Amino acid sequence: RDFIAFYESSVVDGHQQIRILNRNRDGESTIIPLPLAKACTSISPCGNMFYDATYLCFGIESPVERSEFYKYDSITKTLLSLFPEDQDGVGEEQTRGNVVHKRVLVESQDGTAVPLSMVYRNDVAPSNAPLKSERGQGIRPTILSAYGAYGQPLSMCFDPTLGPLLNKGFVLAFAHIRGGGDCGRSWYERGRLYEKQRSVEDYIACAQALTGQLQITEPQLLTAKAFSAGGVAVGAAVNQMPFLFGNVVISNGFLDVMTAMADSTLPLTEHEWEEWGNPLTDQLARRTISQYCPVSNIKRQKYPRMLLVGTLDDENVPFWHPLTFALKIRHSMTNESETAILLHTETQGGHHLHGRRIHVSALENAFILQNYEHVLEK
């Protein structure tokens, strides 16, 4: 009643914070001092059921660290950790102090600063055998994930399937590209409809930074990863800059934008025209989609190894998206004798792979690790 809590994100780099507004003191506000104010954290409310309460309960988590819960007293301005005995990180052998979080700004093609988050363990070398680049710097296998659609921020929530990769020395990188909501409404508007290519350019810029100025990894050890609508930006980036990536993992990816948006009989097409454009009546939308659509822009060139996952009962993104993408690349690639384009189809689970998520994640991790071992053998 007397206090209002605002969950805020920076329009510059997407960092989250909580601001408490005191309604009885002319709008006096306080920013809660978060104990885990790291680059790769997600903040969410929990258990705030009473209107007259003077405290706020919330949780903080990261892709590799499960939620820690806190209670903030708005009157005394003190922060209390809830369930401290149950906050031991990922894996018995791992301590939170060994997990490094970083967020940097990467310059995209048009000069826009794009947030790039990274998390890795500083006490584990890849396979206990650090690799060296031509510059003599230690490098690590890296996974670059992105979404960039519908104004939805890239998820920084805990994912237990990432723990095995983290513990093997991988860098988990997250590109907060335009089209998502990471840096506000304008960030979304500048990466949708006629501006969708900006999402692709942002993702490419993050990949170039990881393999270039940041000296984190090299192309042969960089995995491009996406789910659902994230497949648009990642699939387009692979078409435009295939040499930036060693392998690609896309699950239930939206890859044939032109065909889907031109077929109004599909369940979600008319609803999706606001996001991607209607190529049936809008010629500018048609030209724009034709320039980035992953399936429409497959070329006669070398492609990295790929694992494409689809689901037969996916009503959001029909299984023919990854199927068409895989078949067209197999017929167009010039390095078919040395690169595998794998297609895996689940029979059930729907778009979000209910009941099959762990199985598919294990398959993705095995594919990524196999590529890493293959590189080491060369």
Side-chain angles (χ1 to χ4, degrees):
R1 183 178 63 184
D2 298 326
F3 300 92
I4 301 176
F6 295 90
Y7 292 81
E8 303 174 332
S9 295
S10 168
V11 296
V12 177
D13 61 9
H15 268 112
Q16 292 183 303
Q17 65 181 24
I18 303 176
R19 183 186 301 273
I20 302 296
L21 178 68
N22 190 330
R23 300 177 65 186
N24 296 327
R25 294 188 179 179
D26 298 324
E28 174 186 285
S29 65
T30 303
I31 296 177
I32 297 179
L34 300 177
L36 293 176
K38 299 177 180 178
C40 298
T41 51
S42 175
I43 306 172
S44 57
C46 60
N48 299 293
M49 299 179 290
F50 303 106
Y51 177 70
D52 291 334
T54 59
Y55 58 83
L56 176 74
C57 295
F58 59 93
I60 306 177
E61 61 187 315
S62 84
V64 296
E65 296 159 315
R66 55 194 173 86
S67 291
E68 291 187 0
F69 298 99
Y70 295 89
K71 179 178 179 180
Y72 179 76
D73 191 315
S74 300
I75 296 178
T76 62
K77 297 184 179 181
T78 56
L79 188 65
L80 174 67
S81 175
L82 304 177
F83 320 116
E85 71 283 355
D86 195 35
Q87 299 173 3
D88 56 359
V90 181
E92 296 180 358
E93 79 289 353
Q94 178 182 325
T95 61
R96 288 182 181 270
N98 293 327
V99 179
V100 177
H101 293 250
K102 290 184 179 180
R103 179 167 295 185
V104 298
L105 295 177
V106 174
E107 185 175 330
S108 191
Q109 183 174 314
D110 65 349
T112 298
V114 180
L116 171 62
S117 299
M118 293 167 281
V119 57
Y120 58 91
R121 290 186 62 172
N122 62 5
D123 62 331
V124 176
S127 295
N128 296 318
L131 299 175
K132 297 292 182 180
S133 70
E134 294 179 356
R135 294 180 293 267
Q137 301 292 329
I139 60 173
R140 292 172 177 258
T142 301
I143 302 171
L144 179 59
S145 302
Y147 188 71
Y150 306 112
Q152 181 70 32
L154 183 60
S155 175
M156 292 285 104
C157 296
F158 175 60
D159 182 352
T161 67
L162 296 177
L165 296 172
L166 184 79
N167 293 336
K168 286 185 176 293
F170 277 70
V171 174
L172 307 174
F174 304 87
H176 305 273
I177 61 179
R178 281 173 285 185
D182 306 79
C183 298
R185 179 72 184 186
S186 64
W187 197 251
Y188 163 54
E189 295 290 349
R190 292 161 59 194
R192 62 178 282 270
L193 202 58
Y194 310 125
E195 302 295 325
K196 193 60 196 174
Q197 175 61 23
R198 299 301 187 193
S199 300
V200 184
E201 293 169 0
D202 291 353
Y203 187 78
I204 290 174
C206 289
Q208 291 174 326
L210 289 169
T211 58
Q213 66 194 67
L214 297 177
Q215 299 184 8
I216 299 295
T217 190
E218 291 186 343
Q220 61 181 346
L221 291 175
L222 179 59
T223 296
K225 187 176 183 182
F227 171 76
S228 189
V232 175
V234 173
V238 171
N239 278 332
Q240 296 173 24
M241 296 281 195
F243 50 84
L244 278 178
F245 311 99
N247 57 333
V248 180
V249 175
I250 301 177
S251 294
N252 289 349
F254 189 41
L255 297 164
D256 195 351
V257 184
M258 182 63 77
T259 299
M261 292 300 97
D263 186 353
S264 59
T265 66
L266 294 174
L268 297 178
T269 293
E270 293 187 9
H271 171 73
E272 297 286 341
W273 281 338
E274 183 178 349
E275 179 75 18
W276 312 100
N278 181 358
L280 299 176
T281 61
D282 186 340
Q283 289 304 309
L284 179 56
R286 187 175 189 85
R287 288 196 301 271
T288 302
I289 293 173
S290 67
Q291 291 171 358
Y292 69 76
C293 173
V295 166
S296 302
N297 288 276
I298 294 172
K299 307 171 185 176
R300 185 70 177 166
Q301 62 183 356
K302 290 184 177 181
Y303 276 94
R305 296 172 73 250
M306 294 190 192
L307 172 62
L308 303 168
V309 178
T311 308
L312 290 180
D313 63 351
D314 187 343
E315 295 183 353
N316 291 22
V317 181
F319 70 91
W320 47 259
H321 282 262
L323 174 62
T324 304
F325 193 62
L327 291 178
K328 289 193 69 174
I329 287 182
R330 286 175 181 175
H331 286 99
S332 301
M333 63 192 300
T334 59
N335 57 332
E336 63 275 7
S337 63
E338 57 190 63
T339 301
I341 306 297
L342 305 182
L343 175 67
H344 173 77
T345 305
E346 289 287 326
T347 58
Q348 58 186 357
H351 186 58
H352 294 283
L353 296 164
H354 297 297
R356 301 296 295 169
R357 181 68 262 179
I358 296 296
H359 170 79
V360 171
S361 294
L363 182 66
E364 294 172 344
N365 287 359
F367 177 79
I368 292 170
L369 289 170
Q370 183 187 52
N371 177 68
Y372 175 51
E373 295 299 330
H374 177 70
V375 171
L376 291 181
E377 291 172 359
K378 289 184 176 181

